Amino acid sequence: MGLSFQMRYHIGFMILFCFLWALIFHKLTIRSLFVLSLGVVFAILLGIGVDYWGYGKWTLAPYWYYHQNIVLKLANKWGVSPWWGYFKSTFEKGVFPISLPLIIAGLIFWMRKWKHELTWLTLSFFFVHSYVAHKELRFLFPILIYFPVMLILLLDEFKFKQSKLSKFSLKLVFTVNLILLGQAILRPVQTSIPFYKWAYNNPFKEVYVVGDLKPYGVAALDMHFYNFHYPTEKFISEHELENNIRDLLINNEEILVFASRGKNYFKLINNSLCEIQYMSIPQWTLSINIGSWISRSELWSIFRCKN
């Protein structure tokens, strides 16, 4: 528990409510709780020692993490959402049909099994993060892994029968999950890595960027790890993409244009002045653009546009 807290300070809420559940429902003795707490305290002290080695002075990193993001509200500059923001983002970014039964199962589990340790671990974590103004779905990853377990426990309680519908549902979810796992293991977690590899072998001095995403940055921070060259970035509006390129080519023989969204890729690929140089997804995926999902997805591409 202590080591998990050092990896992610938010886990502290799960540790706290795990101890509370053990005291209230599992009848854990104060002595046993004290022994367990020693392990957590030891890991925290170990973390303070590592921070001293890294920062060069004594500091309590969890406190300053809280002070900067909650007290000074610096995290809010990345955007704020209402208390129900996680419900919206989960439905938007979840993959149907996998996400829907998991979300519903979690809500039912919280209501029916409010004394269960998984409820105390996950609901408390969810409640605290819903209270914080800045929300990102990745903050919920520590509890999302428990939702399949909740679903299984509910199905077991309701004596889920192997009907034709249930068998079909299981096969459908399994197939979709297998396809997604296949594409996940064949691409890097960070979309920008293949682009940096391509740019290393095809250096350029200037690039026009459609939108406000910095191709050489993550979360507005420069990626100095890939400091082989930094081209000059000039930003253009995606709403006036076609006209801007025509205007820019009046004074330039050719230009490079970077786009990070699928919708802008299609605008550029249909522009007779532009030719694709790089794209972050395989060419064959364009043939399965069912429901125009590529237009709504992240797709890094570089185009060379000429008069």
Side-chain angles (χ1 to χ4, degrees), residues 42-292:
F42 174 77
I44 293 175
L45 293 176
L46 181 64
I48 293 175
V50 173
D51 288 335
Y52 174 77
W53 170 51
Y55 288 112
K57 62 180 180 179
W58 293 109
T59 184
L60 189 60
Y63 166 76
W64 288 111
Y65 181 87
Y66 162 79
H67 181 77
Q68 293 290 323
N69 290 295
I70 304 301
V71 178
L72 300 183
K73 299 182 179 180
L74 294 184
N76 291 0
K77 72 176 184 177
W78 304 108
V80 296
S81 303
W83 65 268
W84 44 263
Y86 279 122
F87 291 100
K88 179 182 178 182
S89 60
T90 303
F91 279 104
E92 287 179 346
K93 297 185 178 181
V95 179
F96 184 84
I98 297 175
S99 59
L100 189 59
L102 293 177
I103 297 171
I104 295 175
L107 296 175
I108 295 176
F109 192 94
W110 287 343
M111 290 185 290
R112 288 181 60 88
K113 297 181 177 295
W114 63 272
K115 293 183 179 180
H116 198 281
E117 58 265 42
L118 285 182
T119 298
W120 279 63
L121 284 173
T122 57
L123 182 56
S124 59
F125 192 88
F126 179 81
F127 178 82
V128 170
H129 281 74
S130 295
Y131 174 78
V132 176
H134 175 61
K135 297 175 177 62
E136 295 184 39
L137 195 58
R138 63 187 178 91
F139 294 161
L140 299 185
F141 284 178
I143 66 171
L144 291 181
I145 59 174
Y146 294 110
F147 278 65
V149 180
M150 296 181 190
L151 176 61
I152 291 171
L153 291 175
L154 286 177
L155 293 177
D156 183 57
E157 179 184 347
F158 295 145
K159 295 180 174 57
F160 184 68
K161 296 181 179 179
Q162 291 294 312
S163 62
K164 290 184 178 180
L165 177 60
S166 65
K167 289 181 178 179
F168 171 77
S169 300
L170 289 173
K171 290 179 180 178
L172 177 62
V173 170
F174 178 82
T175 302
V176 172
N177 193 58
L178 192 63
I179 293 173
L180 293 175
L181 285 175
Q183 63 89 24
I185 63 176
L186 293 175
R187 64 179 178 84
V189 175
Q190 184 64 36
T191 310
S192 57
I193 303 303
F195 169 74
Y196 296 147
K197 182 179 180 180
W198 176 86
Y200 181 84
N201 296 314
N202 300 271
F204 45 89
K205 295 182 178 180
E206 183 179 86
V207 61
Y208 288 88
V209 180
V210 182
D212 57 1
L213 176 72
K214 296 180 63 174
Y216 283 88
V218 174
L221 302 175
D222 289 333
M223 297 290 287
H224 292 292
F225 181 80
Y226 302 95
N227 196 15
F228 46 89
H229 79 286
Y230 276 104
T232 302
E233 297 170 333
K234 297 184 177 180
F235 297 89
I236 59 177
S237 169
E238 64 178 23
H239 300 294
E240 301 175 343
L241 182 58
E242 184 175 353
N243 291 333
N244 277 349
I245 290 178
R246 293 183 180 276
D247 294 340
L248 292 171
L249 285 174
I250 294 176
N251 300 319
N252 298 279
E253 183 178 345
E254 66 176 35
I255 60 173
L256 286 178
V257 181
F258 168 86
S260 59
R261 306 298 300 177
K263 60 181 180 180
N264 294 322
Y265 162 82
F266 287 111
K267 290 179 182 179
L268 287 163
I269 200 69
N270 293 323
N271 191 321
S272 60
L273 302 175
C274 300
E275 181 180 3
I276 185 69
Q277 303 293 304
Y278 164 84
M279 61 186 299
S280 59
I281 63 174
Q283 185 73 28
W284 61 266
T285 55
L286 297 174
S287 61
I288 55 172
N289 189 24
I290 303 172
S292 192

